[in-house]
Amino acid sequence: MSCGEPHETDCSEVLDHLYEFLDREMPDSDCTKFETHFEECSPCLEKYGLEQAVKKLVKRCCGHDDVPTDLRSKVMGRIDLIRSGQTVPEHDVGAATQES
């Protein structure tokens, strides 16, 4: 997604790293770049708001359980594969959830 306007930080970069921003898993300098982008770009700001709301909902409904580190790593690995355009076979996804 892109709003079609030029920005110092491209929309695709912001959206590719949105969860890192939401989770504050990036350097402060990158967070500042993203905040500036959201001030300039309403489509990305809207996407940020939606993802932030989903994250809060999941935390409220499921935030009481500790997530095993290996499960988090598997999920993040799958997300990275999908973001890079690769497909994840159905049996791999099911196996990951059954193992954990």
Side-chain angles (χ1 to χ4, degrees):
M1 170 174 81
S2 176
C3 66
E5 299 293 324
H7 299 285
E8 184 177 330
T9 307
D10 190 61
C11 294
S12 62
E13 180 183 348
V14 170
L15 297 176
D16 285 347
H17 299 281
L18 187 57
Y19 276 94
E20 292 170 58
F21 176 79
L22 281 166
D23 295 337
R24 296 294 186 197
E25 295 177 343
M26 59 176 31
D28 289 341
S29 60
D30 289 341
C31 287
T32 301
K33 287 187 343 185
F34 278 43
E35 290 163 354
T36 300
H37 183 91
F38 293 135
E39 290 172 6
E40 301 171 347
C41 183
S42 60
C44 287
L45 178 62
E46 184 177 334
K47 179 69 173 170
Y48 164 73
L50 175 65
E51 296 300 331
Q52 186 179 41
V54 168
K55 185 176 169 70
K56 285 180 182 179
L57 178 64
V58 169
K59 183 177 181 177
R60 188 180 77 215
C61 294
C62 307
H64 306 290
D65 300 327
D66 290 332
V67 178
T69 304
D70 62 326
L71 175 60
R72 186 180 195 292
S73 296
K74 288 177 186 178
V75 170
M76 293 306 295
R78 300 266 187 310
I79 290 171
D80 289 340
L81 284 175
I82 292 167
R83 283 184 179 157
S84 69
Q86 299 178 33
T87 57
V88 179
E90 288 284 326
H91 69 279
D92 284 355
V93 173
T97 53
Q98 290 174 359
E99 291 172 6
S100 302

